[in-house]
């Protein structure tokens, strides 16, 4: 029988993974109102809103990448933190077994997945004592896609597009604007950022992540930082990056900045980027019984994710093309950037381990005309076989060293992912006759519903997220963002946002 503390932590994990809090939902709802529903950004936000409600209803992960669980625990003096740590780990393992978390803990040397989210360094647990009787437990689930877009600057420095950044507020604002620009759509924009000014390299990042525990609508008690947060939110949304990097009016949903003392020789600005799936929640527990007294952040159920227009009639999605997999070269040569493609048939997942393997080995099945989906799903197995619990796209740029070669080697005709890919892949798409399809990052429930059957799996030795799953899908929608004619929406948005970023070079913030 698990303890009351472990049960409370388990409830916290499930709530954090499956139900976005009210302040985050309000920010996303406001973004929907700011975009034309018929645009790529507007369509993506509608999908995001639908996915949020599906995750709550299904009590399933909002995003399949449930991230690195990071706990901040305040305990009364005398609390047994050794026992608490053990019970937090037990709750993590149970939530993983129940499909509320993906198996995300991987040995850095061997690549082996522990299968239960436990191992050296995982989960992350920070304990701090306080002079109160209650126990305060907070959790953030920050996925790898947005974690990879974290960035740290050492001032003074030269910043791309913005020039010299000195050791002052003007230099700091240049760092933060560049941090938003460099993330593009790879961090599942529109996102939130936490910023840490000062500290050392380690504590600077910790301070930045701590800012993500603040409420979206709070006001910084330091007036200069409150002004900076407002400035960044305003200017970042003038960059035109938009949701998923598709272009649009809303690129950033929140900016929170904290400051700490530093060494005279060091001046770090650390930025923690968080995707729209801003999963953080907390509970206040009775100090004696460890039962939940209250939730720290307002529950998401109080803010339905439905717009005034969305329920009366679905917004037009532009030109839609229905294709049956496997695809032909003729199928994909007829596609152009901006087309909405609806896929039916069998697709195959493939991430880092698979791409590396296929460079030097044959595929276990015939991939000619096939579609590779950059996805690491959440899967559960019972007597009836495997079931998909969450299946959104992962960030594609990690596969840039491999993708072009694998396209040509195996005759693939489409790649699905998020955030786009680089010039090597674009050249291969044009030469070979293939396309890149951008799915909506984080929309793990929306896409899981399109999967009718798991046809099989290979390379389970890579772990569930990295295995090659063969999925029978119906009505799988994605947008062509790189076509077989050399066009890339991602390159266009990057160029346009870079030009807009440069306009802020000579603006002085003091």
């Amino acid at each position: 029988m698990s303890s009351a503390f472990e049960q409370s932590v388990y409830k916290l994990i499930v709530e954090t993974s499956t139900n976005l809090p009210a302040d985050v939902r309000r920010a996303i709802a406001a973004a929907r109102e700011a975009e034309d529903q018929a645009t790529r950004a507007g369509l993506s936000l509608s999908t995001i809103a639908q996915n949020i409600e599906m995750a709550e209803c299904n009590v399933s992960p909002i995003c399949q990448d449930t991230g690195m669980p990071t706990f901040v625990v305040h305990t009364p003096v005398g609390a047994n933190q050794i026992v608490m740590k053990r019970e937090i780990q037990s709750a993590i393992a149970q939530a993983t077994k129940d499909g509320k978390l993906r198996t995300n803990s991987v040995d850095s040397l061997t690549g082996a997945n522990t299968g239960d989210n436990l191992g050296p360094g995982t989960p992350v647990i920070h304990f701090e004592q306080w002079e109160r009787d209650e126990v305060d437990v907070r959790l953030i689930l920050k996925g790898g896609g947005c974690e990879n877009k974290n960035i740290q600057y050492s001032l003074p420095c030269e910043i791309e597009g913005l020039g010299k950044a000195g050791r002052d507020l003007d230099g700091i604002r240049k760092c933060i604007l560049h941090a938003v620009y460099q993330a593009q759509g790879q961090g599942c924009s529109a996102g939130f950022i936490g910023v840490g000014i000062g500290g050392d390299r380690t504590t600077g990042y910790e301070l930045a992540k701590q800012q993500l525990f603040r409420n979206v609508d709070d006001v910084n008690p330091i007036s200069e930082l409150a002004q900076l947060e407002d400035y960044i939110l305003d200017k970042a949304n003038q960059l035109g990056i938009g949701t998923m990097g598709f272009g649009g009016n809303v690129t950033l949903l929140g900016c929170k900045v904290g400051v700490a003392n530093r060494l005279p020789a060091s001046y770090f600005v650390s930025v923690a980027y968080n995707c729209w799936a801003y999963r953080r929640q907390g509970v206040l527990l009775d100090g004696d019984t460890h039962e939940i007294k209250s939730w720290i952040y307002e529950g998401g159920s109080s803010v339905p994710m439905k717009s005034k227009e969305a329920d009366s009639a679905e917004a037009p999605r532009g030109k839609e093309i229905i294709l049956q997999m496997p695809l032909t070269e003729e199928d994909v040569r007829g596609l152009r950037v901006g087309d909405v493609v609806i896929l039916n048939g069998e697709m195959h997942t493939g991430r880092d381990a698979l791409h590396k393997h296929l460079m030097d080995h044959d595929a276990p099945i015939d991939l000619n005309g096939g579609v590779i989906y950059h996805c690491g799903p959440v899967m559960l197995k019972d007597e009836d076989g495997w079931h998909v619990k969450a299946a959104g796209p992962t960030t594609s740029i990690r596969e840039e060293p491999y993708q072009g070669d694998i396209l040509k080697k195996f005759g693939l005709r489409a790649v699905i992912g998020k955030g786009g890919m680089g010039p090597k892949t674009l050249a291969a798409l044009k030469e070979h006759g293939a396309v890149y399809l951008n799915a909506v990052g984080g929309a793990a429930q929306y896409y899981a519903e399109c999967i009718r059957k798991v046809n099989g799996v290979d390379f389970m030795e890579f772990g569930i997220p990295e295995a090659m799953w063969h999925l029978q899908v119906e009505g799988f929608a994605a947008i062509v963002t790189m076509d077989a004619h050399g066009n890339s929406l991602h390159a266009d948005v990057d160029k346009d946002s870079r030009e807009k970023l440069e306009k802020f070079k000579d603006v002085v913030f003091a």
Side-chain angles (χ1 to χ4, degrees), residues 73-118:
V73 187
H74 285 80
T75 66
V77 175
N80 192 329
Q81 296 178 359
I82 295 173
V83 172
M84 286 182 165
K85 180 178 181 180
R86 187 163 57 241
E87 292 180 348
I88 289 172
Q89 292 171 335
S90 179
I92 284 284
Q94 187 62 51
T96 306
K97 181 179 179 181
D98 294 344
K100 309 305 179 183
L101 297 176
R102 188 175 70 182
T103 54
N104 264 1
S105 182
V106 176
D107 187 298
S108 295
L109 298 182
T110 67
N113 194 308
T114 66
D116 58 6
N117 272 308
L118 303 181

Side-chain angles (χ1 to χ4, degrees), residues 20 129 162 177 248 289 303 381 396 418 439 455 459 461 494:
L20 284 187
Q129 289 186 336
L162 291 170
L177 283 176
T289 68
V303 183
K381 189 176 185 180
S396 295
K418 70 177 177 72
N455 291 337
F459 305 115
E461 63 269 27
D494 185 276

